[in-house]
C-alpha cells in the first residue's frame, strides 16, 4: 500500500512544484521553465551516472540474464538510453519555445495556455518512449515486478489523459482557480491524510539500507498486490485530501484532485473491490 500512498502524494507534490507565474507573484517561473527544470533532474538509468559506483552492475546483469536471457541487459540499457535522449530532446525543444515566447507579443493568458499545450504535447512523446523503455526493461524483472510496473503504467496513462485533455485545459483550470496557492496553504494539513506516517518512514529507512539497494531502480521494484485493506486506506486518504481541499476559495482544485484519485481507484480495481464489499455487507444485514 505504501507505493500507492507514495504515488498519490508524489502526484500532489509534482503539481505543487510545477507552479506557474501569477501576476501578483512574478518571482515564480513560467510553467515551461519549471517543466524544463524538473525534466533536467530525471535520470532514468542510475548505472550511467557519476555516482553509479554505489550500485553493483554485475548483479543487475546477472538478474537480467536469469530472467530474460543473455541480451536482456543490453536491451534494457539501450531502452533507457533512448528514453533519456528523448528527455534531453524535449528539454531542448521546450527551451527553444521559451526563447520564442520572450519575443511574443501575445497576452500573458494566451502564453500560459500555450505553456500547458506544449507541455501536454511533450507528455505524449515521452509516454511513447517511456512505454518502449518499460518494454525493454521488463525481461530483466521478476514476475511480481513486471506486474507492479504494468499496474503503475495502467494508472499513469488515464491520469495523463485526463490532465491533458483539450490541450491541458483541466490543468490550466486548476492553476487559474488558485489550485497551487491552496495546496501551498494546506500542504501541512494534507500530511494528516497519510494512513500511518511512522510506518511509512520506517519502511523507507529499511528499504534504503537493505541488501537489495545495490541493485538500483528501475531494475529493482517493490512487489505489491491490491486488496480490500489497501483500497479502504486509499479511500480514506482520498476523502481526507478532498475534505481539506474543499476549504479552497473555489471548488475546482478539489474537484481536479478528486477526479485524479478516482481514476487511480478505478485502475487499481479499488472501485470494484469496494463496491463488492459494500454489497456483501448489505446482504449480511
Amino acid at each position: 500500500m505504501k507505493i500507492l500512498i507514495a504515488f498519490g502524494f508524489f502526484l500532489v507534490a509534482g503539481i505543487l512544484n510545477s507552479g506557474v507565474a501569477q501576476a501578483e507573484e512574478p518571482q515564480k517561473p513560467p510553467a515551461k521553465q519549471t517543466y524544463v527544470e524538473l525534466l533536467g533532474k530525471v535520470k532514468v538509468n542510475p548505472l550511467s551516472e557519476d555516482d553509479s559506483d554505489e550500485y553493483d552492475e554485475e548483479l543487475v546483469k546477472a538478474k537480467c540474464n536469469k530472467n530474460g536471457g543473455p541480451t536482456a541487459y543490453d536491451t534494457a540499457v539501450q531502452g533507457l538510453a533512448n528514453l533519456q535522449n528523448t528527455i534531453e530532446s524535449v528539454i531542448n525543444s521546450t527551451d527553444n519555445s521559451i526563447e520564442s515566447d520572450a519575443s511574443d507579443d501575445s497576452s500573458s493568458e494566451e502564453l500560459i495556455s500555450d505553456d500547458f499545450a506544449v507541455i501536454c504535447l511533450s507528455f505524449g512523446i515521452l509516454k511513447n518512449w517511456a512505454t518502449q523503455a518499460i518494454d525493454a526493461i521488463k525481461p530483466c524483472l521478476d514476475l511480481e515486478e513486471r506486474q507492479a510496473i504494468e499496474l503503475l503504467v495502467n494508472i499513469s496513462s488515464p491520469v495523463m489523459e485526463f490532465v491533458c485533455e483539450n490541450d491541458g485545459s483541466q490543468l490550466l483550470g486548476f492553476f487559474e482557480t488558485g489550485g497551487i496557492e491552496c495546496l501551498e496553504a494546506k500542504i501541512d494539513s494534507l500530511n494528516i491524510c497519510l494512513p500511518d506516517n511512522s510506518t511509512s518512514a520506517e519502511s523507507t529507512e529499511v528499504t534504503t539500507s537493505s541488501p537489495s539497494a545495490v541493485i538500483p531502480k528501475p531494475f529493482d521494484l517493490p512487489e505489491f498486490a491490491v486488496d480490500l485493506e489497501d483500497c479502504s486506506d486509499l479511500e480514506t486518504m482520498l476523502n481526507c485530501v478532498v475534505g481539506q481541499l474543499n476549504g479552497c476559495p473555489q471548488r475546482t482544485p478539489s474537484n481536479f484532485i478528486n477526479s485524479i484519485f478516482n481514476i487511480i481507484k478505478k485502475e487499481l480495481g479499488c472501485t470494484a473491490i469496494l463496491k463488492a464489499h459494500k454489497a456483501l455487507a448489505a446482504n449480511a444485514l
Side-chain angles (χ1 to χ4, degrees):
M1 180 60 193
K2 295 177 182 61
I3 191 171
L4 304 183
I5 299 296
F7 183 87
F9 269 76
F10 174 80
L11 182 66
V12 173
I15 294 172
L16 181 61
N17 287 331
S18 61
V20 73
Q22 303 290 333
E24 67 275 16
E25 294 183 351
Q27 74 275 16
K28 287 186 177 180
K32 282 190 287 191
Q33 181 60 48
T34 303
Y35 180 56
V36 165
E37 292 171 359
L38 291 174
L39 282 181
K41 299 176 183 178
V42 176
K43 307 299 179 185
V44 297
N45 185 5
L47 292 172
S48 65
E49 298 305 307
D50 294 336
D51 59 353
S52 61
D53 290 344
E54 66 183 277
Y55 304 119
D56 193 328
E57 186 174 7
E58 292 306 313
L59 278 179
V60 177
K61 289 181 178 179
K63 180 177 182 179
C64 290
N65 186 65
K66 172 178 173 288
N67 290 328
T71 63
Y73 176 77
D74 289 339
T75 299
V77 169
Q78 185 59 57
L80 294 174
N82 291 341
L83 176 56
Q84 190 68 57
N85 289 337
T86 302
I87 292 172
E88 298 300 328
S89 177
V90 168
I91 289 174
N92 291 334
S93 64
T94 308
D95 273 335
N96 292 336
S97 177
I98 292 171
E99 291 179 5
S100 176
D101 289 346
S103 59
D104 197 328
D105 58 359
S106 301
S107 67
S108 60
E109 290 81 7
E110 290 175 324
L111 288 175
I112 291 173
S113 178
D114 178 67
D115 276 3
F116 291 111
V118 170
I119 289 171
C120 284
L121 178 63
S122 74
F123 277 175
I125 297 171
L126 291 172
K127 177 185 174 183
N128 290 335
W129 284 98
T131 299
Q132 294 182 43
I134 289 170
D135 288 341
I137 203 172
K138 275 182 184 177
C140 288
L141 303 178
D142 299 329
L143 175 60
E144 294 80 4
E145 292 176 317
R146 296 179 196 179
Q147 294 171 341
I149 200 169
E150 287 172 1
L151 183 56
L152 291 179
V153 169
N154 290 340
I155 295 171
S156 62
S157 293
V159 167
M160 187 183 302
E161 290 173 6
F162 167 74
V163 168
C164 280
E165 67 181 14
N166 298 325
D167 292 331
S169 62
Q170 296 281 4
L171 190 57
L172 177 60
F174 174 81
F175 281 100
E176 287 183 330
T177 55
I180 287 297
E181 290 77 10
C182 184
L183 281 177
E184 288 176 337
K186 295 182 176 294
I187 193 65
D188 290 335
S189 61
L190 288 175
N191 285 330
I192 68 173
C193 296
L194 284 169
D196 190 341
N197 286 310
S198 61
T199 301
S200 298
E202 290 171 3
S203 175
T204 301
E205 183 178 348
V206 171
T207 300
T208 54
S209 60
S210 67
S212 63
V214 294
I215 300 180
K217 294 178 176 59
F219 294 97
D220 183 47
L221 300 175
E223 301 170 9
F224 65 97
V226 180
D227 57 21
L228 177 60
E229 181 180 0
D230 296 331
C231 292
S232 297
D233 285 347
L234 187 62
E235 177 87 344
T236 299
M237 185 181 75
L238 166 60
N239 292 335
C240 178
V241 169
V242 171
Q244 293 291 333
L245 296 181
N246 280 341
C248 297
Q250 298 192 51
R251 293 297 294 270
T252 299
S254 175
N255 292 337
F256 178 79
I257 298 298
N258 185 49
S259 295
I260 290 176
F261 272 106
N262 281 333
I263 293 171
I264 294 173
K265 280 171 53 183
K266 179 182 178 181
E267 296 302 323
L268 285 173
C270 283
T271 301
I273 290 173
L274 292 171
K275 182 178 180 180
H277 176 66
K278 290 178 181 178
L280 285 174
N283 292 335
L285 296 178

